[in-house]
Amino acid sequence: MAVPEPPSAPGGNASLEQVRREIDELYRKAAVATDAYNLAEDQAQGQSGEIVKLARTIVAGERKINELKDRLGAQARAQYRTGGVPQSAQLMLSGSPDLFLRGAGRMQQGQSAVKNMLDELHRTQEDLRTYSKDASTQWTRLEANRKNKEKARKEIKKQIDAAEKIESRLAGKDRDRLLELERDAQQRAQSAWVGSGALGGGGGAATQQGKQAVDYAMAQLGDPYVWGAEGPYAFDCSGLTQQAWRAAGRGIPRTSQEQWRLLPRVPVSQMRPGDLIVYFSDASHIAMYLGNGSMVHAPRPGRNVTVAGAGSMPILGVVRPG
């Protein structure tokens, strides 16, 4: 993609602001691709686990079929040794009423046992065909997710490389000013959000689980953002929120989009510490609410886990894991 030239007049706010917006957009696209990568990775792990379970089931099914065939073979060999007449039938022909009655019962039992073994063999063979088909389907899905992961990985790299190339072409003082413009934009957004009254009275104090999740997230302050990372020393945005709630004993989905889609939603005015704030219309970023209008998050590549204003980015909504 074409990379814009750095501002002709270093320090010119209008030109630097344009560059800042372009860099933000590139990192936003990288965040969307990161969500796609994380989802494909999560699904691939689940499919790999399912394939392992199916493989074990297939092995057990094959063992059972072999055992049933051995038992049926033993029945056939016994019949052959008695000249094709089952031992129970021979007893029926002995002329003794007692032996006849006992033989009749044994013959019926033997026939029933053979029928049951044949039925069980048929069911096991059918189950084995189903399991094999399921395993084949899971392999197909696994391969598709591997391709999705690779596609997302390339997209992430492309967007991050483009953003870093723009920043690398700026003079040192312009990079410092760029960071100031970024902070100014966040502060303006935060002030407007707080002033709008959207925060309301809040949802009260954190639950015990919420407090544990917050404590975990705050303990990661200063750790670098790395796309696809979920700790213990680096995180992406949803990796941080997932691990924080895992530390609190609550498992939640891996990606920001899945966290938004699957977790219970609460009004912004009722959020409490530990709740997760979802940003942008595509749910491509997520943070943890701390209370008093602030949040903790892993912002983007080149930044570390930090505390910021909860309204410093466009809020899509709020979800509550616990």
Side-chain angles (χ1 to χ4, degrees):
M1 66 180 294
V3 178
E5 293 293 327
S8 55
N13 285 354
S15 297
L16 275 174
E17 178 62 18
Q18 181 182 357
V19 170
R20 183 192 71 80
R21 290 176 184 272
E22 179 146 7
I23 290 172
D24 279 354
E25 182 60 22
L26 289 168
Y27 281 124
R28 281 253 303 111
K29 290 177 180 177
V32 173
T34 297
D35 236 29
Y37 178 92
N38 289 336
L39 181 60
E41 169 70 11
D42 203 42
Q43 290 175 336
Q45 288 179 356
Q47 284 149 5
S48 295
E50 188 63 26
I51 287 168
V52 170
K53 286 194 294 184
L54 285 167
R56 289 172 179 165
T57 304
I58 289 169
V59 169
E62 288 174 340
R63 187 182 302 119
K64 185 176 181 181
I65 285 173
N66 290 333
E67 289 172 357
L68 287 167
K69 285 181 177 178
D70 286 344
R71 288 165 62 189
L72 286 166
Q75 288 274 359
R77 288 191 296 273
Q79 185 171 335
Y80 175 79
R81 284 194 300 268
T82 56
V85 181
Q87 186 178 17
S88 54
Q90 291 177 353
L91 290 171
M92 290 175 68
L93 299 173
S94 67
S96 167
D98 288 340
L99 289 175
F100 178 85
L101 290 173
R102 286 199 298 270
R106 290 173 186 173
M107 185 174 181
Q108 189 175 25
Q109 290 172 1
Q111 289 173 340
S112 177
V114 170
K115 181 180 182 302
N116 289 340
M117 278 192 285
L118 287 170
D119 288 345
E120 189 173 2
L121 179 62
H122 177 72
R123 286 195 303 270
T124 304
Q125 287 172 329
E126 286 296 315
D127 288 344
L128 208 55
R129 280 191 282 269
T130 300
Y131 295 142
S132 297
K133 184 177 179 182
D134 289 346
S136 178
T137 300
Q138 292 294 346
W139 272 114
T140 300
R141 291 175 178 170
L142 180 62
E143 184 59 26
N145 275 314
R146 283 174 175 161
K147 290 178 181 177
N148 289 340
K149 273 179 57 180
E150 182 59 20
K151 180 180 178 182
R153 186 192 66 79
K154 289 178 180 177
E155 181 65 16
I156 293 165
K157 187 175 186 306
K158 182 179 85 170
Q159 302 298 342
I160 292 176
D161 285 351
E164 290 177 345
K165 186 174 182 180
I166 293 173
E167 290 184 283
S168 70
R169 295 170 66 180
L170 294 172
K173 63 179 181 180
D174 290 331
R175 291 185 209 173
D176 292 340
R177 182 57 185 151
L178 198 65
L179 185 57
E180 289 178 14
L181 290 172
E182 182 181 308
R183 291 171 179 161
D184 289 346
Q186 292 173 352
Q187 288 173 359
R188 286 195 303 272
Q190 174 73 0
S191 296
W193 178 69
V194 171
S196 72
L199 187 55
T207 62
Q208 182 60 32
Q209 271 192 317
K211 184 177 184 304
Q212 290 173 338
V214 166
D215 288 346
Y216 180 94
M218 290 298 288
Q220 315 314 314
L221 290 177
D223 286 352
Y225 177 106
V226 174
W227 64 267
E230 46 191 312
Y233 307 115
F235 300 86
D236 61 21
C237 65
S238 57
L240 178 64
T241 54
Q242 183 196 45
Q243 292 305 311
W245 271 100
R246 179 176 290 175
R250 171 77 162 92
I252 65 174
R254 173 63 179 91
T255 71
S256 59
Q257 292 173 344
E258 290 294 279
Q259 289 172 18
W260 168 244
R261 186 173 72 87
L262 297 174
L263 295 177
R265 299 180 185 182
V266 296
V268 173
S269 61
Q270 294 300 307
M271 64 181 172
R272 65 191 184 200
D275 287 348
L276 305 180
I277 310 173
V278 185
Y279 294 96
F280 305 107
S281 60
D282 55 6
S284 57
H285 190 71
I286 196 162
M288 180 174 290
Y289 188 56
L290 298 175
N292 299 318
S294 64
M295 55 85 163
V296 57
H297 70 148
R300 65 165 176 81
R303 299 286 187 267
N304 299 329
V305 175
T306 189
V307 172
S312 57
M313 294 175 288
I315 295 175
L316 176 61
V318 177
V319 293
R320 178 167 292 166

